[in-house]
Amino acid sequence: MAAPPPAAAATTRTGALTVGLSPYTARTSAFRRAQICRHRLPTLRCRRAQPLTAAASSSPVFHGECFVVGENIDTDQIIPAEHLTLVPSKADEYRKLGSFAFSGLPSAAYPTPFVAPGEESSRYAVIVGGPNFGCGSSREHAPVALGAAGARAVVAESYARIFFRNSVATGEVYPLELAEAGAWKECKTGDIVTVDIGKAVMINHTSGKEYKLKPIGDAGPVVEAGGIFAYARKTGMIASKASA
Amino acid sequence: MAASISAAAKASAAFAHKKELSAAAPAPTQHRAGGSRRAKPCRVRAVASPARAPRAPASTGLGTLKTAMTMTEKILARASDRASLEPGENVWVDVDVLMTHDVCGPGTIGIFKKEFGEDAKVWDREKVVIIPDHYIFTSDERANRNVDILRDLYGAEDQANPDYKGVCHVALAQEGHCRPGEVLLGTDSHTCNAGAFGQFATGIGNTDAGFVLGTGKALLKVPPTIRFVLDGEMPPYLLAKDLILQIIGEISVSGATYKSMEFIGSTVESLNMEERMTLCNMVIEAGGKNGVVPADETTFKYLEGKTSVGYEPVYSDAQARFVSDYCFDVSKLEPVVAKPHSPDNRALARECKDVKIDRVYIGSCTGGKIEDFLAAAKVFFASGKKVKVPTFLVPATQKVWMDVYGLKVPEFGGKTCSQIFEEAGCDTPASPSCGACLGGPRDTYARMNEPMVCVSTTNRNFPGRMGHKDGQIYLASPYTAAASALTGYVTDPRDFLM
């Protein structure tokens, strides 16, 4: 089991850190389930439901522990093929997918699992990775598993195109890119990070370093809306379901 | 296989240069007015294409500037009703064919119904192709349920389907759903396989596919093209699998990310359709968005009798800009493998001769077509000996399976591949499906449930790909796989073929 995170009550750049066991509210999308607070992680659990910025903003901020993986992490490591019988559009199978997120990572290289044994979701809100993250299959189950497990953003050096596209289309995770090559190597699993999408920066509080991100551009609002269909309805590209 | 190579050579020799087709005004019925571009001579290195010199409007004879485009750009331009477009642009294209299978179909259908309504109709039922293939021969209940979901969509009866085809990408080709100049999207990364037909074919996820099901359109970013010029006579010990492994080893698993890969040259022209498919199949392993081979007589002949839908091939303009050119003298290449655990971990097969192996797997969309089995049988026939390790054979489709059992091969003295395999002590050819290429449910035939070393004609060897996380997979051509089965070590097929 990983050691509990340091109880440093650091303030973030966007406001005071919320300490405590506040409950979460589920996102409006039917694919999100209500997150249940983990009492073992009192302080620095990422609040998945809402951004830390106060006013209505289209640039969310995420805060919490990061999980670091290497380069060329392929979809089989993100979600092994034997779990592809789970259909993401069914709510209970969606959750089960989350429980298998990153279960394909070799244990020797990754002794700390992304999802702890017996759990259905992950304590890590941000995933940090090297180049060509998500290479391999076109399976949408990959970003879905990460999102179902509770991750909100992947911060990688670069992406394979189908994974990037699927992340945006499903709205499951923000696929953010580090501006500088090699920056991912300076982070360790368990580091406390803040990812500010609007300011395009990731701060590693544990190491004290800041990393520029490439602006997410047009993909940002799509993920924020909850995926391509939600975005298309929100912007009037397609009729809303109520009027259809 | 000897028969088909000489036919292709004849076709290639008879092939005349023709003027390129105009992308802006396709002639409706012509489908044979094809032309091939002879590659400009280039060094055997990657070089950047020279900047295009500005053309005065008067020189085009049209009164407006006409942008030179690559094949991929032309296909997307036509599909989005644009006179021209450039790499980097996002365009809405009309989709000609959407394919899905049992792993992604249920999710896609779920999204389609949720977003467009329970009673919504797909945009064009003639353009939707559903081919279950991944988890078929398993007792896994969810896998069986997923196949049933597909049946419900197309209204099949509740019994084993005698019309079952097999692996989607090979079935797509065999059933005539791949046509030059079209846009084919599929919920599988190896959809790029169909680029062998001179079409734009790429993999998408469930959500994108759900959108296409309802609207018939997709928003695509136009990729720039890397050109691969393969020249020289194909040595008798090399297959297309060696060529693509060579290329991926050269540019890495992210070398073609967001790019198109265009394969031309005399060697490519000499390849039959199945070998061209093998080439395009693994474009995704280099991160490529799509792969293309210009359509020619070989393509048209293959399509005869398979499709009644008219098609219109397109070809790269002579002045089209490419990101870079890679030139290979194929006559100088040697059999290669991709060592664990990455498709770009290239090594010469002969340099791996001390690697002891536990099994050999011949199958999948990449290496389970009839040409692949003919190639493997050729090595076994030349040797006359028995395999030293369990050798699993999984034909990609019913048709391949039937040919393995039914095709009498003159080269083998009239024997069928199945007879050769039996005499060599291989496992009995299994029912067609994706099989163990991607592991799958625990009871999948030939799945690696313990750590072992496998030489495989499949497409990926990342950790855990065929089942066990500590399994070691050497990707190889059918020649190399068969040779390795005979010795129990990774083996260069020249040991048996020369």
Side-chain angles (χ1 to χ4, degrees), chain B residues 211-280:
Chain B
F211 189 90
V212 176
L213 265 185
T215 64
K217 289 184 187 294
L219 184 62
L220 296 174
K221 190 165 171 172
V222 180
T225 302
I226 306 176
R227 192 162 54 179
F228 296 89
V229 187
L230 304 170
D231 277 319
E233 186 169 328
M234 189 79 149
Y237 43 83
L238 283 191
L239 291 168
K241 181 67 172 280
D242 294 294
L243 302 181
I244 190 63
L245 285 179
Q246 183 78 32
I247 290 172
I248 297 170
E250 198 69 35
I251 67 175
S252 92
V253 287
S254 56
T257 299
Y258 280 99
K259 298 192 178 66
S260 178
M261 295 171 71
E262 186 169 324
F263 303 101
I264 62 170
S266 60
T267 317
V268 176
E269 289 167 23
S270 75
L271 297 177
N272 58 38
M273 289 314 296
E274 298 209 341
E275 285 279 84
R276 294 180 188 191
M277 282 191 250
T278 305
L279 207 56
C280 291

Side-chain angles (χ1 to χ4, degrees), chain A residues 81 93 103 105 140 165 233, chain B residues 115 135 145 207-208 219 438:
Chain A
E93 297 187 18
S103 58
L105 289 174
E140 208 170 76
R165 202 188 158 84
R233 269 191 287 274
Chain B
E115 301 294 345
Y135 302 153
R145 181 245 0 228
T207 301
D208 276 326
L219 184 62
L438 71 163

